[in-house]
Amino acid sequence: MTLFNNTKHSFSVLASALLCAGFSATPVDAAEFFDDRLKVNALFMQGFQNIEADPGAFDPINENMSAGFQRLRFNLELTFKITDDITAFVDLGEEPNDFGSDDKFEISQDFGYIDFNVLGLLKVTDTPHELHVKAGNIESSVFDFRGFSDGAAVQNNPLIGNSIADFVTAESGVQVAWAYKLQQYNIDKVNANITVTVPTFDEDYGDGRGYNVFGDVSVNTNFGLDLGIGWFVSDLGGQVGLRDFADIQVAGLIFGDGDNYNFVSSGNSSRDTHAGLLPGLNVTIVQLNSQYRLSENTLFRGWFGTAEDDYSFVDVNGNQAVATQGVAYAAISSKMRFFGLEASHYIIPDKLYLATRFSQVSNETEGVSGDTDLTRLQLGAGWWLAENTLLKAEWVEQREGANSAGQIGTDWGGFTAEVSVRF
């Protein structure tokens, strides 16, 4: 078992077929149907949390919270083989922390796409190049090499929560991805992609909406070190002044994915534990990424970046605010710097590991001073109860400076745990 590789999930709504298939459970293999033209994975996760905010929170109700179990997360992943060079994928999930701000139980499309192997379609063979075009709801981010918790898909994340600046989303668009197997000069592979999306799953053609553009280049070496750079720009600010505050479409990746921490005053699918300084309109992000595998059992990751927006959230007095306190957008530049460090080590190979992550966001907006740092420290452990079943526990402490990008309004922390299966 390798350490937290970024494998994507796949699954099926054919419940009767799942009950009758009788396949063996593994974390990577999928059940196969219709002469291997359909591959299926199912994922489940149950969590528990005991977290609470310190005195001084924006909403005092967050200062007196009870421990309790979270709702079950459930994903079905389906991969369809249309031809040898055309596949389709869809992720269907009951993910309260991603889709759903009420008590409804419902299946939503998290992301999905049609994948075209361009060189295969052109009958180009015996080449070290790969070229794919994806069309659909594309998962896009500015980070490489590390997984994150997304609904029941949590086994690629060594900890339970994500970082406070995990810029990732899935939105409707097109991606072109290229790779080259170099295998010389200590470089195994070079990867690059570019993605163009609109900032919503809905079909919104209103005036001023604009586009999001992502890009990424990474290099994999044969001595354990991987390096990459990701970037993102958006042009969505034309909506300001044309639409009401609640109707403006913003770049979803600015607030990360649904974190596995929940507060009383927050909806199930809120992003209130993530950095909430930038509104996600006219945004520019650049992020450097690295990973170093010291041994089969020890892995280090690090990242650093800057993000800025031509706009800011403002409160009722017109002062810059974070997302939970914002009532409007104003043409006030907002900027932040962020970094993260992560380490994981198997103390019993393939069985028991320890992990830690420290991430920090600093409010670099012009004219802002004082305590501008937002930090999160995570300490955790994971135990593979079986090859496809992972039990995790974590202690988390988040500190929110008075002028930081923190959205709870004060420091908070506590204990969380989760058990997940994938088959």
Side-chain angles (χ1 to χ4, degrees):
M1 181 185 303
T2 57
L3 283 172
F4 314 113
N5 290 326
N6 277 334
T7 55
K8 288 310 299 176
H9 23 288
S10 42
F11 48 119
S12 137
V13 288
L14 302 178
S16 59
L18 285 172
L19 292 174
C20 300
F23 53 87
S24 61
T26 74
V28 291
D29 296 333
E32 298 179 350
F33 303 94
F34 309 118
D35 295 326
D36 298 345
R37 299 185 71 85
L38 170 63
K39 294 184 178 180
V40 177
N41 285 111
L43 299 84
F44 302 82
M45 187 275 278
Q46 174 64 63
F48 172 87
Q49 72 168 44
N50 183 11
I51 62 173
E52 189 173 75
D54 291 350
F58 290 137
D59 193 334
I61 197 172
N62 291 331
E63 301 167 14
N64 294 284
M65 292 175 54
S66 299
F69 293 98
Q70 298 169 343
R71 272 174 52 181
L72 177 76
R73 277 72 162 140
F74 170 58
N75 290 80
L76 286 174
E77 302 175 335
L78 297 169
T79 303
F80 300 88
K81 181 179 179 181
I82 312 302
T83 71
D84 287 343
D85 299 304
I86 303 175
T87 59
F89 173 83
V90 65
D91 178 327
L92 306 176
E94 213 289 303
E95 304 177 12
N97 61 328
D98 202 358
F99 296 93
S101 56
D102 51 32
D103 292 330
K104 292 181 180 179
F105 290 80
E106 56 192 6
I107 297 293
S108 300
Q109 180 202 148
D110 192 350
F111 67 99
Y113 52 81
I114 307 168
D115 186 329
F116 300 91
N117 177 3
V118 177
L119 297 182
L121 291 170
L122 295 175
K123 308 302 180 184
V124 176
T125 60
D126 193 26
T127 173
H129 296 273
E130 299 173 14
L131 183 61
H132 288 256
V133 174
K134 293 181 180 180
N137 290 336
I138 310 298
E139 180 183 335
S140 303
S141 72
V142 293
F143 61 80
D144 292 304
F145 315 128
R146 57 192 177 92
F148 61 98
S149 293
D150 180 19
V154 299
Q155 293 188 353
N156 293 325
N157 181 1
L159 293 148
I160 291 178
N162 299 316
S163 92
I164 49 176
D166 270 2
F167 297 126
V168 60
T169 191
E171 294 169 340
S172 302
V174 176
Q175 180 182 78
V176 178
W178 168 83
Y180 179 61
K181 296 179 180 178
L182 186 61
Q183 296 182 329
Q184 56 182 320
Y185 311 114
N186 293 321
I187 297 175
D188 284 338
K189 196 174 184 181
V190 179
N191 314 277
N193 69 72
I194 187 167
T195 306
V196 179
T197 67
V198 293
T200 175
F201 280 177
D202 298 325
E203 297 186 6
D204 182 327
Y205 306 109
D207 190 14
R209 187 212 58 215
Y211 290 89
N212 295 325
V213 182
F214 303 78
D216 180 84
V217 178
S218 62
V219 175
N220 306 114
T221 74
N222 59 14
F223 54 89
L225 178 65
D226 301 319
L227 299 171
I229 181 171
W231 55 270
F232 170 83
V233 294
S234 65
D235 181 23
L236 314 177
Q239 301 170 84
V240 178
L242 299 178
R243 306 188 189 196
D244 292 338
F245 175 69
D247 296 330
I248 291 177
Q249 302 291 338
V250 301
L253 93 164
I254 288 295
F255 304 107
D257 208 86
D259 223 347
N260 284 328
Y261 315 116
N262 208 340
F263 281 84
V264 178
S265 64
S266 306
N268 288 344
S269 59
S270 70
R271 305 294 194 264
D272 293 354
T273 59
H274 194 273
L277 182 67
L278 278 58
L281 293 170
N282 290 359
V283 182
T284 302
I285 303 174
V286 179
Q287 179 168 328
L288 304 177
N289 304 286
S290 64
Q291 172 177 271
Y292 180 63
R293 189 179 301 278
L294 181 63
S295 70
E296 184 65 24
N297 294 314
T298 306
L299 186 64
F300 298 97
R301 294 184 174 116
W303 57 95
F304 170 82
T306 62
E308 56 186 309
D309 198 329
D310 293 338
Y311 291 83
S312 291
F313 292 104
V314 293
D315 60 21
V316 293
N317 297 315
N319 298 318
Q320 187 187 57
V322 292
T324 56
Q325 308 303 301
V327 298
Y329 302 113
I332 301 172
S333 178
S334 52
K335 182 178 181 179
M336 64 188 205
R337 183 185 69 246
F338 59 93
F339 74 90
L341 299 170
E342 179 182 293
S344 54
H345 174 70
Y346 272 90
I347 56 178
I348 301 177
D350 296 338
K351 191 69 175 179
L352 179 64
Y353 69 84
L354 302 176
T356 185
R357 179 189 299 133
F358 177 81
S359 50
Q360 176 175 295
V361 171
S362 298
N363 185 350
E364 297 288 309
T365 303
E366 185 177 355
V368 175
S369 60
D371 193 351
T372 62
D373 290 341
L374 169 68
T375 62
R376 179 182 294 177
L377 175 64
Q378 299 165 256
L379 303 173
W383 178 26
W384 290 94
L385 303 176
E387 191 176 17
N388 60 345
T389 304
L390 178 59
L391 175 65
K392 291 192 283 188
E394 176 190 297
W395 181 264
V396 57
E397 288 284 347
Q398 183 152 314
R399 299 189 179 276
E400 303 190 359
N403 295 319
S404 74
Q407 300 187 73
I408 301 300
T410 189
D411 300 343
W412 59 267
F415 171 80
T416 62
E418 66 181 29
V419 62
S420 61
V421 298
R422 172 188 172 93
F423 68 92

